[in-house]
Amino acid sequence: MKKIFIIAAKELKSYFRSPIAYIVLVITISIFNMFFFVLINEGQEATLRDILTIMEFMFIFIIPLLTMKIFAEEKQTGTIEFLVTTPTTNTVIVLGKFLGSLLFFTLLMSVSIFYYIIIEIFASPDKWTILSGIAGIWLEGVMFVAIGVLTSSWTRNQILAAITSYVILFLLFFSLSFTEHVGGNAAILIRYFSTKTHAENFIAGLINTVDVVYYLSAIFICLTLTRLSVENRLWR
Amino acid sequence: MINVQNVTKSFNGIEIIKGVSFEIQKGEVVGFLGQNGAGKTTLMRILTSFLPATTGKVTVMGKDIASDSLAVRRKIGYLPETPPLYPNMIVKDYLIFAAQLKDVLSKDIPYQLEKVMAECGIEHVAHKVIGTLSKGYKQRVGIAQAIINDPEILILDEPTSGLDPVQIQTVRQLIEGFKGKKTVILSTHILSEIEQTAQRVLIIKDGRILADDALDHLLKTHHGMNLEEIFLNIVKRDSNPTILKKT
């Protein structure tokens, strides 16, 4: 258990040892801030609904950039050989790396708490709807991180890892538009697998077991597959 | 101490290691000698449990490497062919990270850190970023991480590869310092390296062991020949392979 935090701390620190983390943080938060003030100014509504939808959309593009190095870089530099020959289980390695990325993503997401505080000071928002929305987008982002960690474990090429993540995330996010062209069970299936369906419920203030199970099971499946990928050394 | 029985390793149906068996006793310094692509690295990766053997059995200090992998990994220090270093990390932080992952007790880490940095002569670069170090220093940091938990077995894959003569000398002295203290397995295709550091030689070609003998005995039985000539002689004779057993 302790090793999970040791690996996570090392991962988190590694983000801040390169300029990419600062660039991502500054650019992303600046864009979020800009949209937040424009949306509040235009809509005059005490809600975070629109800014959370924008955050959700932007995470599709940002998260693969944050996770692409997680395993791919280790394989590229050969440090994976050090990592997996220490007395550390593959599960601990995967969880530690996932937690490191998750913490960085949470840092990025934490800006939404400030938006809530600002709205709370100047208006009377529906507190639970906002908190449900933040929790939903966070959970969705954690799933994106898990997908990024998985695709990073498939290759030693960081760009390829990011592209694979994009393909999966685009399918999960934009698949909802296909429901107009297909009907019946296919549409039901697409609606269930689309991440947008579940995130929308959270943003609307609805916390359903189905949505929570969707995200948690997707995270679990991705991490299990990552562990198998690391174990099988298929990327050799 | 290390027992390898009939180990094979295949990748995509191609057999890289072909039924290798040998035993290594405590305190021995054994050199794996072979051309590039002979299977030295694959064999070392199996011993360190980085790769599982396709068939066969490996035990380290009586523990099966497949079923008791974590216990075995605690006993082994490993330097892969490319030193496994994080270029953005500071040397000291990297060694602390390695110590933590290798189950060194928190209270023992400062002592172990000081000890290995002194042994490897890297005290004055302790606060430098790894990426800024010369190749020789990187190799020493790589060796430092391998011995940070004071392992009983040390596996070094091409420890002097790509170094200049001065750096080779330094790393060689470092390895010689382990003689009698640790069981050392090192792989190389540099014959002088084996002559100067190893007590026993395993000559490997195409995934098979062609010779397994004490270095002194090997030199004695091949009158007047140096190790290079012996190596070439054995490798050429491989068309009619006869394994020379250790006496």
Side-chain angles (χ1 to χ4, degrees):
Chain A
M1 191 70 183
K2 195 180 158 196
K3 285 186 188 177
I4 294 176
F5 294 107
I6 291 166
I7 296 170
K10 185 239 150 210
E11 285 302 319
L12 192 60
K13 279 184 202 164
S14 80
Y15 278 116
F16 291 100
R17 282 195 209 101
S18 83
I20 296 167
Y22 297 99
I23 294 167
V24 167
L25 277 175
V26 169
I27 293 177
T28 312
I29 292 173
S30 301
I31 294 172
F32 288 165
N33 287 347
M34 193 184 72
F35 274 110
F36 173 67
F37 289 108
V38 168
L39 290 168
I40 290 293
N41 199 33
E42 299 255 314
Q44 299 287 321
E45 264 188 89
T47 171
L48 288 187
R49 190 186 56 237
D50 296 332
I51 185 69
L52 286 174
T53 309
I54 288 168
M55 285 172 109
E56 177 193 19
F57 183 71
M58 280 194 64
F59 286 149
I60 292 176
F61 296 92
I62 296 162
I63 290 173
L65 297 178
L66 298 176
T67 54
M68 63 184 186
K69 73 181 186 78
I70 293 294
F71 279 104
E73 191 181 42
E74 297 260 6
K75 289 171 204 163
Q76 182 70 42
T77 57
T79 47
I80 191 81
E81 213 165 333
F82 153 75
L83 209 54
V84 299
T85 54
T86 64
T88 311
T89 62
N90 291 327
T91 306
V92 167
I93 292 170
V94 170
L95 289 178
K97 286 185 159 285
F98 169 68
L99 184 62
S101 300
L102 176 95
L103 290 174
F104 187 82
F105 161 70
T106 305
L107 190 69
L108 203 63
M109 181 80 201
S110 63
V111 70
S112 60
I113 299 293
F114 292 104
Y115 301 153
Y116 166 65
I117 293 168
I118 291 169
I119 291 184
E120 188 70 57
I121 291 169
F122 295 103
S124 305
D126 181 350
K127 188 182 4 182
W128 296 113
T129 303
I130 290 183
L131 291 179
S132 152
I134 292 174
I137 299 303
W138 180 79
L139 208 50
E140 187 183 32
V142 175
M143 183 186 78
F144 292 175
V145 170
I147 290 169
V149 170
L150 172 63
T151 60
S152 184
S153 76
W154 287 340
T155 173
R156 61 180 66 219
N157 184 325
Q158 292 191 46
I159 304 296
L160 198 60
I163 292 170
T164 318
S165 279
Y166 284 132
V167 171
I168 296 172
L169 295 185
F170 283 8
L171 279 173
L172 286 175
F173 192 79
F174 297 107
S175 57
L176 209 55
S177 53
F178 297 134
T179 51
E180 292 168 12
H181 311 289
V182 292
N185 289 338
I188 295 168
L189 208 64
I190 289 172
R191 204 166 287 124
Y192 179 75
F193 280 106
S194 166
T195 175
K196 224 167 150 39
T197 317
H198 304 280
E200 273 169 2
N201 288 339
F202 277 103
I203 293 172
L206 300 168
I207 300 180
N208 296 324
T209 317
V210 176
D211 303 322
V212 175
V213 167
Y214 169 83
Y215 287 122
L216 292 183
S217 53
I219 293 164
F220 178 76
I221 290 168
C222 285
L223 295 181
T224 306
L225 291 176
T226 307
R227 200 190 75 96
L228 285 174
S229 167
V230 173
E231 202 160 86
N232 287 334
R233 321 259 196 272
L234 291 173
W235 36 269
R236 271 195 85 262
Chain B
M1 189 149 207
I2 299 173
N3 195 315
V4 177
Q5 286 173 30
N6 217 13
V7 163
T8 66
K9 179 71 193 172
S10 302
F11 291 108
N12 301 322
I14 300 164
E15 209 171 42
I16 306 295
I17 302 292
K18 298 161 183 164
V20 163
S21 299
F22 60 88
E23 223 175 298
I24 294 174
Q25 302 304 324
K26 193 176 179 181
E28 270 190 304
V29 178
V30 179
F32 285 1
L33 194 60
Q35 295 159 296
N36 289 331
K40 306 186 294 289
T41 297
T42 306
L43 200 51
M44 288 190 147
R45 284 177 164 177
I46 292 169
L47 295 179
T48 58
S49 70
F50 178 67
L51 290 175
T54 305
T55 59
K57 192 178 177 185
V58 180
T59 56
V60 174
M61 299 172 79
K63 291 186 165 66
D64 191 311
I65 209 160
S67 59
D68 213 349
S69 172
L70 285 185
V72 170
R73 283 188 254 169
R74 270 186 206 104
K75 306 284 180 196
I76 293 176
Y78 175 44
L79 174 72
E81 196 173 347
T82 309
L85 308 172
Y86 297 98
N88 292 330
M89 271 182 114
I90 288 164
V91 171
K92 198 176 171 183
D93 288 349
Y94 170 64
L95 293 177
I96 292 172
F97 177 61
Q100 289 171 326
L101 289 189
K102 292 182 178 193
D103 297 335
V104 179
L105 295 173
S106 300
K107 64 178 177 63
D108 296 336
I109 290 178
Y111 169 75
Q112 276 300 114
L113 202 62
E114 217 168 288
K115 192 179 133 200
V116 299
M117 286 203 295
E119 266 182 28
C120 299
I122 52 171
E123 304 105 311
H124 57 289
V125 296
H127 297 284
K128 286 197 170 176
V129 175
I130 291 171
T132 63
L133 300 178
S134 70
K135 203 164 184 181
Y137 273 110
K138 281 181 184 164
Q139 197 75 352
R140 287 198 234 176
V141 176
I143 294 173
Q145 70 73 26
I147 60 170
I148 192 77
N149 57 333
D150 199 13
E152 289 171 65
I153 300 162
L154 205 51
I155 297 178
L156 309 169
D157 193 358
E158 310 262 1
T160 57
S161 166
L163 301 183
D164 68 37
V166 178
Q167 291 168 337
I168 288 174
Q169 187 63 24
T170 315
V171 172
R172 209 173 269 169
Q173 280 168 355
L174 201 58
I175 297 166
E176 276 171 30
F178 300 135
K179 267 185 189 169
K181 297 177 196 165
K182 297 183 190 303
T183 305
V184 182
I185 301 173
L186 63 115
S187 86
T188 183
H189 53 265
I190 304 167
L191 299 158
S192 60
E193 183 126 332
I194 296 284
E195 271 182 312
Q196 290 186 37
T197 49
Q199 298 157 334
R200 184 178 151 200
V201 184
L202 263 75
I203 296 177
I204 303 169
K205 193 192 171 196
D206 297 333
R208 286 176 294 118
I209 295 179
L210 300 185
D212 175 1
D213 207 346
L215 183 63
D216 292 343
H217 187 259
L218 201 63
L219 292 168
K220 208 184 283 177
T221 49
H222 291 74
H223 309 287
M225 286 166 89
N226 62 29
L227 190 58
E228 187 178 347
E229 289 163 335
I230 296 169
F231 173 70
L232 291 172
N233 192 26
I234 290 172
V235 168
K236 278 179 191 162
R237 215 173 50 197
D238 179 44
S239 52
N240 180 21
T242 310
I243 296 184
L244 305 175
K245 285 283 173 201
K246 188 185 172 191
T247 52

